[in-house]
Amino acid sequence: MLKIYNTLTRSKETFTPRVAGKVGLYVCGMTVYDYCHVGHARVMVVFDTVTRYLRYLDYEVTYVRNITDIDDKIIHRANENGEDFYALTERFIDAMHEDEHALFVLPPDHEPRATSSIAEIIAMIEKLIERGFAYIGKNGDVFYAVEKFKDYGKLSGKNLDDLQAGERVDIDLAKRNPMDFVLWKMAKAYEPSWQSTWGNGRPGWHIECSAMATCCLGNHFDIHGGGMDLQFPHHENEIAQSEGATGEKFVNLWMHNGFVRINEEKMSKSLGNFFTVREVLKEYRPEVIRYFILSSHYRSPLNYSDESLKDAVSGLTRLYTALRDVEIIQSDIEVEYKQRFEQAMNDDFNTPVALSVLFDLARELNKTKSPALATTLKYLASFLGLLQENADNFLQGETDDNAAIETQIQARIDAKLAKNWALADQIRDELKAQNIILEDSPDGTTRWRRE
RNA sequence: GGCUGCGUAGCAAAGCGGUUAUGCAGUGGCCUGCAAAGCCAUCUAGAGCGGUUCGACUCCGCUCGCAGCCUCCA
């Protein structure tokens, strides 16, 4: 029985989909004005793993992850670059897809874009005005009147009286209440804009998700996810907009993943302390990043450091080493490990425990070299998006000097047969200096891997 | 000021009211010409103070420390 932590109730709940056997899942994706950093990678990997596991449980999942391709930052960045905003977002959408692909993240079923959903956005705003939740401000912008929505704050545990307006941003005098937020923003000269009854403008930050989510998954769906920092105001506002416009409950279960941190501080663009996925990929294999992300529970903080990534390399090396030279037969799965794996994942997607099951499997596999255990290991790991490479590929890496290495290994085997230990050790040391580690087998053959 | 979380061994990271988490590192052994890998054994825990309990790392309270949110943010 799958249990998932619901931010709305602050507790783990037994997961019951609205329609038996089917799950609608919406995740807030990127605002595309720059490359994805490790924090974005966490969202992609976590919800990819959630989707894989839901499918493993035989749910028919509709996974929607949007792209926000119009907002102030995009406009600002495009101006800085002197390029059309659409060219900018196209570029970074492509880059995002490359990063996603590298990290073994399966594409979502739908990837709606804000700029392709303008009609739906306008329709929702009209509905909100009609139902009395929205008004036209003194500057012509359309605002959401938070006081009109009785449950405002139910997700983030805030109430309007406690919120300190103007904490970080100047109070906008065009609003009736400082907490009101923009639904439709009037365009300044030369800004990208779309026609509406309120004039040429563009959608505010939160409305695009309400429109795209209800459009793709219906007014009421099962799971909505995203980073913890979206809880307030973004997700709170999504609830206010969607429930205000439709009169129906928006989402049953809210999932929020924790932050990636650097030196006990949140990795973020504004702090400038971020590493992009492509930067990290220059140093580490993609699977290392994925393992690193899954080695901590999705709601816990994840501390980014060179050491953590090296730990991930060690862990993966151990698992792949166990898989080396064992036949994978697509048949029998060891039930005991399968059950332990499920138990871990059923407990709010506890990937660290699921990984520990894989390590227990690896130990047993090292002892017995049983094909059934190897099959089980690879099978279970597939739902984490791990261990799907050929073991030697992972351990040796793709290189062009493999032939030279093999030649030296053969020379060493000859030396060993002649009991010329000095030469044998010299060859081994030379290879070690190139980070090539040799491992002799009892049958006289020698294997190698890259350190 | 309001609201969330968190504090576990050398490092990373989980579950659990009483029984080995797991990975890396360390130590001892087996294996090996010697190594490496692997296997076996083993040492380091639960911020502090109270309370509940036969028994608490696990539940409750307080204190201290850390992180996050309060319209940039995944």
Side-chain angles (χ1 to χ4, degrees), chain A residues 112-128:
Chain A
R113 295 168 60 161
T115 56
S116 308
S117 314
I118 299 293
E120 290 83 357
I121 290 170
I122 288 174
M124 187 172 257
I125 298 173
E126 277 169 351
K127 200 94 191 178
L128 284 168

Side-chain angles (χ1 to χ4, degrees), chain A residues 114-377:
Chain A
T115 56
S116 308
S117 314
I118 299 293
E120 290 83 357
I121 290 170
I122 288 174
M124 187 172 257
I125 298 173
E126 277 169 351
K127 200 94 191 178
L128 284 168
I129 292 175
E130 190 184 305
R131 296 177 59 114
F133 289 99
Y135 62 93
I136 298 163
K138 289 174 191 153
N139 59 357
D141 290 355
V142 183
F143 293 102
Y144 190 101
V146 293
E147 284 166 65
K148 294 286 169 75
F149 187 68
K150 58 190 181 314
D151 285 334
Y152 195 77
K154 69 177 172 185
L155 177 68
S156 52
K158 300 187 187 303
N159 66 70
L160 284 170
D161 299 334
D162 292 337
L163 289 166
Q164 287 191 2
E167 170 79 10
R168 293 189 304 184
V169 164
D170 290 339
I171 293 171
D172 186 340
L173 297 172
K175 299 175 182 178
R176 290 181 192 163
N177 180 317
M179 299 313 301
D180 290 349
F181 55 91
V182 150
L183 295 169
W184 190 259
K185 197 166 181 164
M186 290 302 120
K188 297 192 190 92
Y190 307 114
E191 278 182 352
S193 65
W194 290 262
Q195 279 197 341
S196 79
T197 46
W198 318 290
N200 280 2
R202 63 176 184 273
W205 174 28
H206 317 289
I207 191 70
E208 87 283 17
C209 277
S210 284
M212 289 185 273
T214 52
C215 187
C216 294
L217 295 169
N219 291 348
H220 179 194
F221 58 92
D222 301 293
I223 307 176
H224 189 131
M228 291 252 278
D229 44 3
L230 296 182
Q231 226 174 81
F232 189 91
H234 186 60
H235 289 163
E236 200 67 73
N237 291 353
E238 270 190 61
I239 294 174
Q241 291 164 340
S242 307
E243 299 193 351
T246 69
E248 291 176 53
K249 178 163 189 175
F250 181 41
V251 168
N252 282 349
L253 201 156
W254 288 84
M255 290 179 71
H256 292 99
N257 64 274
F259 300 128
V260 176
R261 291 197 212 166
I262 293 184
N263 299 324
E264 304 303 310
E265 195 174 48
K266 177 184 172 184
M267 178 183 285
S268 74
K269 287 188 182 167
S270 50
L271 288 168
N273 60 348
F274 62 89
F275 286 82
T276 63
V277 170
R278 45 198 58 210
E279 263 177 292
V280 183
L281 284 176
K282 283 181 193 158
E283 290 259 2
Y284 298 94
R285 307 171 135 266
E287 201 170 348
V288 170
I289 302 180
R290 184 156 181 128
Y291 177 100
F292 160 67
I293 288 169
L294 296 177
S295 67
S296 133
H297 184 85
Y298 76 89
R299 284 189 285 117
S300 299
L302 178 62
N303 227 46
Y304 179 90
S305 69
D306 211 40
E307 203 190 350
S308 324
L309 288 171
K310 291 211 163 85
D311 280 355
V313 172
S314 307
L316 274 175
T317 300
R318 179 167 165 83
L319 294 173
Y320 267 120
T321 302
L323 280 174
R324 195 166 53 176
D325 291 343
V326 189
E327 211 182 336
I328 303 289
I329 302 164
Q330 297 304 330
S331 55
D332 35 359
I333 298 296
E334 296 278 336
V335 178
E336 184 207 329
Y337 292 102
K338 182 176 186 279
Q339 283 174 346
R340 286 178 57 201
F341 181 87
E342 285 173 13
Q343 207 179 346
M345 291 299 281
N346 280 342
D347 183 14
D348 195 25
F349 307 100
N350 196 330
T351 53
V353 173
L355 284 173
S356 81
V357 174
L358 301 190
F359 281 106
D360 286 345
L361 242 166
R363 169 173 291 118
E364 207 50 37
L365 176 57
N366 281 330
K367 282 194 255 186
T368 63
K369 289 290 165 193
S370 137
L373 286 171
T375 306
T376 306
L377 177 53

Side-chain angles (χ1 to χ4, degrees), chain A residues 327-438:
Chain A
E327 211 182 336
I328 303 289
I329 302 164
Q330 297 304 330
S331 55
D332 35 359
I333 298 296
E334 296 278 336
V335 178
E336 184 207 329
Y337 292 102
K338 182 176 186 279
Q339 283 174 346
R340 286 178 57 201
F341 181 87
E342 285 173 13
Q343 207 179 346
M345 291 299 281
N346 280 342
D347 183 14
D348 195 25
F349 307 100
N350 196 330
T351 53
V353 173
L355 284 173
S356 81
V357 174
L358 301 190
F359 281 106
D360 286 345
L361 242 166
R363 169 173 291 118
E364 207 50 37
L365 176 57
N366 281 330
K367 282 194 255 186
T368 63
K369 289 290 165 193
S370 137
L373 286 171
T375 306
T376 306
L377 177 53
K378 198 158 178 170
Y379 171 73
L380 294 178
S382 75
F383 301 105
L384 302 177
L386 296 173
L387 303 186
Q388 299 309 297
E389 264 195 82
N390 171 280
D392 279 325
N393 278 358
F394 180 86
L395 295 167
Q396 301 179 340
E398 326 72 38
T399 48
D400 19 290
D401 53 349
N402 288 14
I405 293 165
E406 296 294 346
T407 307
Q408 283 193 274
I409 287 173
Q410 190 51 52
R412 179 167 166 275
I413 287 171
D414 294 342
K416 278 175 64 179
L417 286 171
K419 297 207 186 294
N420 186 348
W421 308 128
L423 178 61
D425 289 354
Q426 188 199 318
I427 294 169
R428 186 169 60 198
D429 290 344
E430 280 168 14
L431 287 169
K432 178 126 202 294
Q434 302 166 49
N435 291 325
I436 307 297
I437 307 295
L438 300 189

Side-chain angles (χ1 to χ4, degrees), chain A residues 58-74:
Chain A
D58 268 338
Y59 286 113
E60 195 184 304
V61 182
T62 306
Y63 176 26
V64 180
R65 194 190 58 208
N66 78 288
I67 294 173
T68 297
D69 60 351
I70 179 69
D71 91 322
D72 290 356
K73 288 189 166 174
I74 291 170

